[in-house]
Amino acid sequence: QWVREHSGKLPKERPKAATAEDKCEHALAQWLHRLRQKCRKGEMQEDDLRHLQREVPEMSEKVGAWLSNASAFERQVTKLQQWVREHSGKLPKERPKAATAEDKCEHALAQWLHRLRQKCRKGEMQEDDLRHLQREVPEMSEKVGAWLSNASAFERQVTKLQQWVREHS
C-alpha cells in the first residue's frame, strides 16, 4: 500500500524522521533491511520472498538480487581478490588523486576496506562476512584478525615485539 501511495517508490531509512509519514517510511525501510539480512543468511522462505515480489512488483528486482548468491559484499570480495592477484599479493591503497582507471579502482577498493574496518570497530559487521573475506583473500587475514580482536595498533606492536624478543633471546 505504501509503495502505491508513493508512485512506486520504495521506502528509505529516515533516522531523523519527524513526521508520522517519515516514521512509517523509516519503519518499512528497516523491515526491508532486516528481510535482506535474513535472506543473505538463508533464513527466509523463498515462497515468502516470491509472495513479496508478486504483491509489490516494485520489489521484484531487489528480491531477485537478494536471491542471487552474489551479494554486494561478495562482489566486492571478488573484485578485491582479483585486484590482489593481479598485483602480486599487495592490498590496495587509497589514492585520492587517482588519475587512471586502475588507480581509481585501487582507491575505491581501499575505501571499501576502510569502511569495512570502521563497521567492524562499531560492531556492525557480520563475523561470517569477515571470515569469508579472510578465506577468499588470504592477504587480508592478518588485518581482519586485528579488526576482530579490537587490539589497538600499539597493542599489536607490543605483541610483535614480545614475539621478536622470544625468538631472538
Side-chain angles (χ1 to χ4, degrees), residues 79-81 83-84 87 89-95 102-103 105-114 137 139-140 143:
K79 284 180 190 176
L80 178 64
Q81 187 180 43
W83 195 94
V84 168
H87 293 85
K90 292 181 183 171
L91 293 171
K93 294 183 178 162
E94 291 197 39
R95 300 191 180 280
E102 177 69 20
D103 286 349
C105 176
E106 179 179 10
H107 181 69
L109 285 169
Q111 284 184 316
W112 178 71
L113 289 173
H114 179 76
V137 186
E139 295 82 357
M140 284 296 301
K143 282 188 181 288

Side-chain angles (χ1 to χ4, degrees), residues 10 52-53 56-68:
L10 293 173
L52 178 60
Q53 284 179 304
V56 186
E58 295 83 356
M59 283 295 302
S60 193
E61 191 175 316
K62 280 194 180 288
V63 171
W66 296 352
L67 290 171
S68 81

Side-chain angles (χ1 to χ4, degrees), residues 102-167:
E102 177 69 20
D103 286 349
K104 288 178 183 178
C105 176
E106 179 179 10
H107 181 69
L109 285 169
Q111 284 184 316
W112 178 71
L113 289 173
H114 179 76
R115 287 190 302 276
L116 282 187
R117 190 179 100 236
Q118 289 176 324
K119 283 182 166 183
C120 188
R121 283 185 172 169
K122 293 177 185 175
E124 296 172 356
M125 283 295 302
Q126 296 291 325
E127 196 167 323
D128 289 347
D129 284 342
L130 293 170
R131 298 291 180 212
H132 174 71
L133 176 59
Q134 286 179 303
R135 275 192 313 277
E136 297 302 314
V137 186
E139 295 82 357
M140 284 296 301
S141 243
E142 189 176 321
K143 282 188 181 288
V144 171
W147 297 350
L148 289 172
S149 74
N150 287 330
S152 71
F154 178 80
E155 290 167 332
R156 286 194 305 277
Q157 289 302 102
V158 168
T159 302
K160 284 180 182 179
L161 178 59
Q162 287 173 327
Q163 183 179 355
W164 188 91
V165 168
R166 277 194 304 273
E167 291 171 1

